[in-house]
Amino acid sequence: AEQFYLQAIHLDPTHLDARFNLAKLEGQLQKTQEAIQRYLELLRIAPAFGPARVNLSKILIEETRTKEALDLLREGVAHAPLDAVMWFSLGVALKESENHAAALEAFDRALDLNPMDLSARVNRAASLRELNRLDEAFAEIKQAETASDPETLSIMWSLYATLYEDAHREDRVEEAFQKALEFDPQNIKPKMNYGVWLLKRERFREAWPLYQFRHHIKASRPIRWMDGVPVWTQGPATGRLLIIGEQGVGDQVFHSKFLRALRSTHTHVACVTVDDRLLAAYQRSFPGMRFLAQSKRPELQPAHFDMQMGMADLAALLSLDPASDPQIRPPTLTIDPARPSFLP
């Protein structure tokens, strides 16, 4: 199919449908950079080609290039102020950039133009939640329950789950997550969010398989893997292991408890990278183990390691369960008794 579209473009460089279909195909084939260039070439020829602008914005958001997506979509609504899809896409980009007040305005414009856009209602409810306007968020999302699209329903029920948690309606949370996965079993975000919810409640055996799906989402703070070092995913950890601290400080404090269990195995932990603010606490808590502040990561050389893994994978890959293993139940990190009010 690619060759067919390329030939059509060769014969007629202004063949917009061929250019659009080629870009869309390359996006589906995970040829992300090629797809981005194809869409940009098409928009240089035809700036008012709305679907190309919308599709490109989705890719840019997935690549965490949200500012570029916003610029693209603001141009789009200037070209087509009556395009409901363009306004909706702008709302999504604003929501991703955490500008929720502006996102609400964009979703309102989309709904003025197309009151039946239930995806806009779900996303509007998500922004209302971020603004802590929970009653309005519940009212908004209820209007999306008539949706027939499984993907929209899955996103809707996943949002219901987080709203119930925010509202301390614990009895409704798990059912909502399960409904989200019933409607779309391949939807990764509800799986990961359900896993996080289970983790918080120390239902670890159920949580780990779901929490592992975070590796399939483009995170705002992705794991910075070391080039040339195999990633440990299963089986025994052989050779010199590099453990990479991931997510935020709270996550690294939580997952630190599993280092004690790992150290009791025959695994050779060559180095653990941690948030700079936690370095002293880790060094104090695990004497004899090498830790390095994440800001010093460039000093590490791939030749010094045989495997690497994310810190949050420790318990899952070692089949540990804090609910039943006494050596990992107590708090692990030791505070500085001279400075108890300081994190390190």
Side-chain angles (χ1 to χ4, degrees):
E2 282 183 280
Q3 291 303 315
F4 173 80
Y5 294 130
L6 286 167
Q7 181 66 20
I9 294 167
H10 176 73
L11 294 172
D12 179 5
T14 63
H15 196 315
L16 301 184
D17 286 342
R19 286 185 176 276
F20 177 70
N21 288 327
L22 177 59
K24 188 163 66 171
L25 177 62
E26 288 180 331
Q28 292 166 349
L29 295 173
Q30 303 299 311
K31 295 182 176 181
T32 303
Q33 298 309 314
E34 292 92 333
I36 289 173
Q37 290 307 311
R38 300 289 184 193
Y39 281 125
L40 289 172
E41 290 168 6
L42 171 52
L43 290 170
R44 277 193 287 269
I45 297 169
F49 200 113
R53 199 173 286 272
V54 167
N55 285 6
L56 176 55
S57 73
K58 292 177 183 177
I59 295 176
L60 291 172
I61 290 171
E62 288 174 0
E63 292 294 302
T64 66
R65 294 164 59 178
T66 308
K67 184 181 183 305
E68 293 171 70
L70 282 169
D71 292 342
L72 191 76
L73 292 164
R74 285 179 174 128
E75 290 176 6
V77 295
H79 281 294
L82 299 181
D83 187 332
V85 175
M86 196 74 70
W87 280 107
F88 166 73
S89 300
L90 177 59
V92 170
L94 288 163
K95 179 168 72 73
E96 289 295 319
S97 66
E98 300 185 358
N99 188 348
H100 295 288
L104 289 178
E105 294 179 10
F107 291 135
D108 286 343
R109 292 293 298 273
L111 287 165
D112 286 343
L113 294 163
N114 180 12
M116 299 306 295
D117 186 349
L118 300 183
S119 291
R121 294 210 176 276
V122 172
N123 279 274
R124 189 176 189 280
S127 282
L128 287 167
R129 172 187 173 258
E130 293 294 336
L131 294 170
N132 202 32
R133 293 160 60 178
L134 297 186
D135 289 343
E136 293 173 77
F138 273 114
E140 188 71 48
I141 200 172
K142 189 169 182 62
Q143 297 184 64
E145 290 183 8
T146 57
S148 58
D149 170 39
E151 183 179 0
T152 300
L153 285 166
S154 178
I155 295 169
M156 180 196 77
W157 280 107
S158 181
L159 180 56
Y160 257 131
T162 54
L163 284 169
Y164 286 137
E165 185 177 6
D166 291 343
H168 307 292
R169 295 166 65 179
E170 288 287 312
D171 58 317
R172 304 294 301 275
V173 176
E174 188 162 20
E175 180 188 7
F177 274 129
Q178 290 170 347
K179 282 188 176 181
L181 294 175
E182 282 176 20
F183 282 111
D184 187 357
Q186 304 308 313
N187 193 340
I188 291 173
K189 284 191 176 181
K191 288 181 180 180
M192 189 192 74
N193 291 336
Y194 187 15
V196 170
W197 184 81
L198 291 167
L199 276 179
K200 291 177 183 176
R201 282 141 192 87
E202 298 196 350
R203 292 167 58 181
F204 296 99
R205 297 287 186 194
E206 300 165 82
W208 297 129
L210 294 166
Y211 189 58
Q212 299 303 89
F213 280 96
R214 76 191 187 286
H215 291 310
H216 303 282
I217 295 176
K218 288 192 179 293
S220 58
R221 289 180 291 185
I223 299 177
R224 292 170 52 223
W225 298 116
M226 178 170 282
D227 292 339
V229 179
V231 176
W232 182 34
T233 56
Q234 59 183 352
T238 56
R240 301 159 298 174
L241 179 64
L242 169 64
I243 300 176
I244 301 173
E246 53 176 304
Q247 307 296 331
V249 167
D251 298 89
Q252 291 185 31
V253 169
F254 175 83
H255 292 289
S256 69
K257 65 179 71 176
F258 306 119
L259 281 176
R260 192 183 307 281
L262 181 66
R263 193 166 59 172
S264 69
T265 71
H266 297 294
T267 304
H268 176 197
V269 180
C271 185
V272 183
T273 68
V274 297
D275 188 284
D276 293 37
R277 294 166 290 178
L278 293 175
L279 180 62
Y282 268 99
Q283 291 172 330
R284 190 165 43 245
S285 305
F286 298 96
M289 188 177 286
R290 184 190 176 197
F291 294 94
L292 187 73
Q294 287 174 332
S295 62
K296 303 291 186 182
R297 260 285 299 275
E299 297 178 6
L300 299 177
Q301 299 298 319
H304 296 161
F305 305 100
D306 301 302
M307 283 188 175
Q308 63 180 327
M309 66 179 299
M311 185 183 289
D313 287 324
L314 279 170
L317 293 171
L318 294 176
S319 299
L320 299 175
D321 186 353
S324 59
D325 193 329
Q327 72 170 326
I328 53 179
R329 287 292 291 165
T332 298
L333 293 182
T334 306
I335 65 169
D336 183 348
R339 305 171 71 209
S341 63
F342 288 83
L343 183 62

Short mmCIF file of all heavy atoms in Angstrom, two decimals, residues 17-54:
data_model
loop_
_atom_site.label_atom_id
_atom_site.label_comp_id
_atom_site.label_asym_id
_atom_site.label_seq_id
_atom_site.Cartn_x
_atom_site.Cartn_y
_atom_site.Cartn_z
N ASP A 17 -5.30 13.26 -0.99
CA ASP A 17 -5.78 12.02 -0.37
C ASP A 17 -4.66 10.99 -0.29
O ASP A 17 -4.55 10.26 0.72
CB ASP A 17 -6.96 11.45 -1.15
CG ASP A 17 -8.23 12.25 -0.93
OD1 ASP A 17 -8.28 13.01 0.07
OD2 ASP A 17 -9.17 12.14 -1.74
N ALA A 18 -3.84 10.91 -1.34
CA ALA A 18 -2.72 9.96 -1.31
C ALA A 18 -1.74 10.33 -0.21
O ALA A 18 -1.24 9.46 0.52
CB ALA A 18 -2.03 9.92 -2.67
N ARG A 19 -1.44 11.61 -0.08
CA ARG A 19 -0.53 12.05 0.98
C ARG A 19 -1.12 11.75 2.37
O ARG A 19 -0.41 11.29 3.27
CB ARG A 19 -0.25 13.55 0.83
CG ARG A 19 0.68 13.89 -0.33
CD ARG A 19 1.01 15.38 -0.35
NE ARG A 19 1.96 15.69 -1.40
CZ ARG A 19 3.28 15.57 -1.29
NH1 ARG A 19 3.80 15.12 -0.15
NH2 ARG A 19 4.07 15.88 -2.29
N PHE A 20 -2.40 12.01 2.54
CA PHE A 20 -3.05 11.78 3.82
C PHE A 20 -3.06 10.29 4.16
O PHE A 20 -2.71 9.88 5.29
CB PHE A 20 -4.48 12.33 3.79
CG PHE A 20 -5.25 12.07 5.06
CD1 PHE A 20 -4.92 12.74 6.25
CD2 PHE A 20 -6.29 11.16 5.09
CE1 PHE A 20 -5.63 12.51 7.42
CE2 PHE A 20 -7.00 10.92 6.26
CZ PHE A 20 -6.67 11.60 7.42
N ASN A 21 -3.45 9.46 3.21
CA ASN A 21 -3.52 8.02 3.46
C ASN A 21 -2.15 7.42 3.72
O ASN A 21 -2.02 6.49 4.53
CB ASN A 21 -4.20 7.31 2.28
CG ASN A 21 -5.69 7.60 2.22
OD1 ASN A 21 -6.33 7.78 3.26
ND2 ASN A 21 -6.24 7.67 1.02
N LEU A 22 -1.12 7.94 3.06
CA LEU A 22 0.23 7.46 3.29
C LEU A 22 0.67 7.81 4.72
O LEU A 22 1.24 6.97 5.43
CB LEU A 22 1.21 8.06 2.28
CG LEU A 22 2.68 7.68 2.47
CD1 LEU A 22 2.88 6.18 2.40
CD2 LEU A 22 3.55 8.40 1.43
N ALA A 23 0.42 9.05 5.14
CA ALA A 23 0.78 9.47 6.50
C ALA A 23 0.04 8.63 7.54
O ALA A 23 0.63 8.18 8.54
CB ALA A 23 0.47 10.95 6.69
N LYS A 24 -1.25 8.41 7.29
CA LYS A 24 -2.05 7.61 8.23
C LYS A 24 -1.54 6.18 8.31
O LYS A 24 -1.42 5.60 9.40
CB LYS A 24 -3.52 7.65 7.80
CG LYS A 24 -4.47 7.03 8.81
CD LYS A 24 -5.90 7.44 8.56
CE LYS A 24 -6.43 6.90 7.24
NZ LYS A 24 -7.89 7.12 7.10
N LEU A 25 -1.20 5.61 7.17
CA LEU A 25 -0.67 4.24 7.13
C LEU A 25 0.64 4.14 7.89
O LEU A 25 0.85 3.20 8.67
CB LEU A 25 -0.49 3.80 5.68
CG LEU A 25 0.12 2.41 5.47
CD1 LEU A 25 -0.77 1.33 6.07
CD2 LEU A 25 0.36 2.15 3.98
N GLU A 26 1.53 5.10 7.67
CA GLU A 26 2.82 5.06 8.36
C GLU A 26 2.64 5.21 9.87
O GLU A 26 3.38 4.60 10.66
CB GLU A 26 3.76 6.12 7.80
CG GLU A 26 4.24 5.75 6.40
CD GLU A 26 5.18 6.77 5.79
OE1 GLU A 26 5.06 7.96 6.13
OE2 GLU A 26 6.01 6.35 4.97
N GLY A 27 1.65 5.99 10.28
CA GLY A 27 1.34 6.08 11.71
C GLY A 27 0.88 4.74 12.26
O GLY A 27 1.31 4.32 13.35
N GLN A 28 0.03 4.05 11.52
CA GLN A 28 -0.46 2.73 11.95
C GLN A 28 0.66 1.71 12.01
O GLN A 28 0.62 0.79 12.83
CB GLN A 28 -1.56 2.25 11.00
CG GLN A 28 -2.83 3.08 11.07
CD GLN A 28 -3.78 2.82 9.92
OE1 GLN A 28 -3.42 2.16 8.92
NE2 GLN A 28 -5.00 3.32 10.02
N LEU A 29 1.67 1.87 11.15
CA LEU A 29 2.81 0.96 11.12
C LEU A 29 3.89 1.34 12.12
O LEU A 29 4.98 0.76 12.10
CB LEU A 29 3.41 0.92 9.70
CG LEU A 29 2.51 0.34 8.60
CD1 LEU A 29 3.17 0.52 7.23
CD2 LEU A 29 2.23 -1.14 8.87
N GLN A 30 3.59 2.30 13.00
CA GLN A 30 4.53 2.78 14.02
C GLN A 30 5.76 3.46 13.43
O GLN A 30 6.81 3.54 14.08
CB GLN A 30 4.97 1.62 14.93
CG GLN A 30 3.83 0.89 15.62
CD GLN A 30 3.02 1.82 16.54
OE1 GLN A 30 3.59 2.52 17.35
NE2 GLN A 30 1.71 1.80 16.41
N LYS A 31 5.64 3.92 12.21
CA LYS A 31 6.72 4.71 11.61
C LYS A 31 6.46 6.17 11.97
O LYS A 31 6.09 7.00 11.13
CB LYS A 31 6.75 4.52 10.10
CG LYS A 31 7.09 3.09 9.67
CD LYS A 31 7.16 2.98 8.15
CE LYS A 31 7.58 1.60 7.70
NZ LYS A 31 7.67 1.49 6.21
N THR A 32 6.67 6.47 13.24
CA THR A 32 6.20 7.74 13.80
C THR A 32 6.82 8.95 13.14
O THR A 32 6.12 9.90 12.73
CB THR A 32 6.47 7.76 15.31
OG1 THR A 32 5.83 6.62 15.90
CG2 THR A 32 5.93 9.05 15.94
N GLN A 33 8.14 8.96 13.02
CA GLN A 33 8.81 10.14 12.47
C GLN A 33 8.46 10.34 11.00
O GLN A 33 8.28 11.47 10.53
CB GLN A 33 10.33 10.02 12.65
CG GLN A 33 10.76 9.96 14.11
CD GLN A 33 10.16 11.09 14.94
OE1 GLN A 33 10.17 12.27 14.53
NE2 GLN A 33 9.63 10.75 16.11
N GLU A 34 8.35 9.23 10.26
CA GLU A 34 7.94 9.33 8.85
C GLU A 34 6.54 9.90 8.73
O GLU A 34 6.27 10.76 7.88
CB GLU A 34 8.01 7.96 8.16
CG GLU A 34 9.41 7.41 8.00
CD GLU A 34 9.82 6.53 9.18
OE1 GLU A 34 9.29 6.75 10.31
OE2 GLU A 34 10.68 5.66 8.99
N ALA A 35 5.63 9.44 9.60
CA ALA A 35 4.25 9.93 9.57
C ALA A 35 4.21 11.42 9.88
O ALA A 35 3.49 12.19 9.21
CB ALA A 35 3.39 9.15 10.57
N ILE A 36 4.97 11.86 10.86
CA ILE A 36 5.01 13.28 11.21
C ILE A 36 5.44 14.11 10.01
O ILE A 36 4.82 15.13 9.66
CB ILE A 36 5.95 13.53 12.41
CG1 ILE A 36 5.33 12.97 13.69
CG2 ILE A 36 6.23 15.03 12.58
CD1 ILE A 36 6.25 13.00 14.89
N GLN A 37 6.49 13.67 9.32
CA GLN A 37 6.98 14.42 8.16
C GLN A 37 5.96 14.44 7.03
O GLN A 37 5.79 15.46 6.35
CB GLN A 37 8.31 13.82 7.67
CG GLN A 37 9.47 14.07 8.61
CD GLN A 37 9.63 15.55 8.95
OE1 GLN A 37 9.63 16.41 8.07
NE2 GLN A 37 9.76 15.85 10.23
N ARG A 38 5.27 13.31 6.83
CA ARG A 38 4.24 13.26 5.76
C ARG A 38 3.12 14.25 6.06
O ARG A 38 2.65 14.97 5.16
CB ARG A 38 3.66 11.85 5.66
CG ARG A 38 4.63 10.76 5.33
CD ARG A 38 5.12 10.83 3.91
NE ARG A 38 5.98 9.68 3.63
CZ ARG A 38 6.76 9.58 2.57
NH1 ARG A 38 6.77 10.56 1.67
NH2 ARG A 38 7.52 8.51 2.39
N TYR A 39 2.66 14.29 7.30
CA TYR A 39 1.59 15.22 7.66
C TYR A 39 2.04 16.67 7.51
O TYR A 39 1.29 17.53 7.01
CB TYR A 39 1.12 14.97 9.09
CG TYR A 39 0.19 13.79 9.25
CD1 TYR A 39 0.49 12.75 10.15
CD2 TYR A 39 -1.00 13.71 8.53
CE1 TYR A 39 -0.37 11.68 10.31
CE2 TYR A 39 -1.86 12.63 8.67
CZ TYR A 39 -1.54 11.61 9.56
OH TYR A 39 -2.39 10.55 9.71
N LEU A 40 3.28 16.95 7.91
CA LEU A 40 3.79 18.32 7.77
C LEU A 40 3.88 18.73 6.31
O LEU A 40 3.54 19.86 5.93
CB LEU A 40 5.16 18.44 8.44
CG LEU A 40 5.16 18.39 9.98
CD1 LEU A 40 6.57 18.33 10.51
CD2 LEU A 40 4.42 19.61 10.55
N GLU A 41 4.33 17.81 5.45
CA GLU A 41 4.40 18.10 4.01
C GLU A 41 3.00 18.38 3.46
O GLU A 41 2.81 19.31 2.66
CB GLU A 41 5.02 16.92 3.27
CG GLU A 41 6.52 16.74 3.54
CD GLU A 41 7.03 15.41 3.03
OE1 GLU A 41 6.26 14.68 2.36
OE2 GLU A 41 8.21 15.07 3.29
N LEU A 42 2.03 17.58 3.89
CA LEU A 42 0.66 17.77 3.41
C LEU A 42 0.12 19.14 3.86
O LEU A 42 -0.50 19.86 3.07
CB LEU A 42 -0.22 16.65 3.95
CG LEU A 42 -1.74 16.77 3.75
CD1 LEU A 42 -2.10 17.03 2.30
CD2 LEU A 42 -2.45 15.52 4.26
N LEU A 43 0.38 19.52 5.11
CA LEU A 43 -0.13 20.78 5.62
C LEU A 43 0.56 21.98 5.00
O LEU A 43 -0.03 23.07 4.93
CB LEU A 43 -0.01 20.81 7.14
CG LEU A 43 -0.97 19.86 7.87
CD1 LEU A 43 -0.64 19.78 9.35
CD2 LEU A 43 -2.43 20.30 7.67
N ARG A 44 1.79 21.80 4.54
CA ARG A 44 2.45 22.91 3.81
C ARG A 44 1.74 23.16 2.48
O ARG A 44 1.63 24.30 2.02
CB ARG A 44 3.93 22.58 3.58
CG ARG A 44 4.81 22.91 4.78
CD ARG A 44 6.28 22.89 4.44
NE ARG A 44 6.77 21.53 4.23
CZ ARG A 44 7.29 20.77 5.19
NH1 ARG A 44 7.38 21.24 6.43
NH2 ARG A 44 7.71 19.56 4.94
N ILE A 45 1.24 22.07 1.87
CA ILE A 45 0.53 22.20 0.61
C ILE A 45 -0.91 22.67 0.84
O ILE A 45 -1.43 23.52 0.08
CB ILE A 45 0.52 20.84 -0.14
CG1 ILE A 45 1.95 20.42 -0.50
CG2 ILE A 45 -0.34 20.92 -1.40
CD1 ILE A 45 2.04 19.00 -0.99
N ALA A 46 -1.54 22.13 1.88
CA ALA A 46 -2.96 22.41 2.13
C ALA A 46 -3.17 22.68 3.62
O ALA A 46 -3.57 21.78 4.37
CB ALA A 46 -3.82 21.24 1.66
N PRO A 47 -2.91 23.90 4.09
CA PRO A 47 -3.02 24.21 5.53
C PRO A 47 -4.41 23.98 6.11
O PRO A 47 -4.54 23.77 7.32
CB PRO A 47 -2.65 25.69 5.59
CG PRO A 47 -1.88 25.96 4.35
CD PRO A 47 -2.45 25.05 3.31
N ALA A 48 -5.45 24.00 5.26
CA ALA A 48 -6.81 23.84 5.76
C ALA A 48 -7.27 22.38 5.78
O ALA A 48 -8.45 22.10 6.05
CB ALA A 48 -7.77 24.66 4.90
N PHE A 49 -6.36 21.43 5.53
CA PHE A 49 -6.72 20.01 5.53
C PHE A 49 -6.84 19.56 6.99
O PHE A 49 -5.89 19.09 7.61
CB PHE A 49 -5.66 19.20 4.79
CG PHE A 49 -6.13 17.84 4.33
CD1 PHE A 49 -6.26 17.57 2.99
CD2 PHE A 49 -6.43 16.84 5.25
CE1 PHE A 49 -6.68 16.31 2.56
CE2 PHE A 49 -6.86 15.59 4.84
CZ PHE A 49 -6.99 15.32 3.49
N GLY A 50 -8.06 19.67 7.53
CA GLY A 50 -8.31 19.45 8.95
C GLY A 50 -7.93 18.08 9.49
O GLY A 50 -7.26 17.98 10.53
N PRO A 51 -8.34 16.98 8.83
CA PRO A 51 -8.02 15.65 9.37
C PRO A 51 -6.53 15.42 9.54
O PRO A 51 -6.11 14.75 10.49
CB PRO A 51 -8.63 14.71 8.33
CG PRO A 51 -9.75 15.49 7.73
CD PRO A 51 -9.26 16.90 7.68
N ALA A 52 -5.70 15.96 8.63
CA ALA A 52 -4.25 15.81 8.76
C ALA A 52 -3.76 16.54 10.01
O ALA A 52 -2.91 16.04 10.76
CB ALA A 52 -3.56 16.37 7.52
N ARG A 53 -4.30 17.71 10.26
CA ARG A 53 -3.90 18.49 11.43
C ARG A 53 -4.29 17.76 12.72
O ARG A 53 -3.51 17.70 13.68
CB ARG A 53 -4.57 19.87 11.36
CG ARG A 53 -3.94 20.94 12.21
CD ARG A 53 -4.57 22.29 11.92
NE ARG A 53 -4.14 22.84 10.65
CZ ARG A 53 -3.07 23.60 10.49
NH1 ARG A 53 -2.31 23.90 11.54
NH2 ARG A 53 -2.75 24.08 9.30
N VAL A 54 -5.48 17.19 12.74
CA VAL A 54 -5.96 16.47 13.94
C VAL A 54 -5.12 15.22 14.18
O VAL A 54 -4.67 14.95 15.30
CB VAL A 54 -7.45 16.11 13.78
CG1 VAL A 54 -7.88 15.11 14.84
CG2 VAL A 54 -8.31 17.37 13.84
#
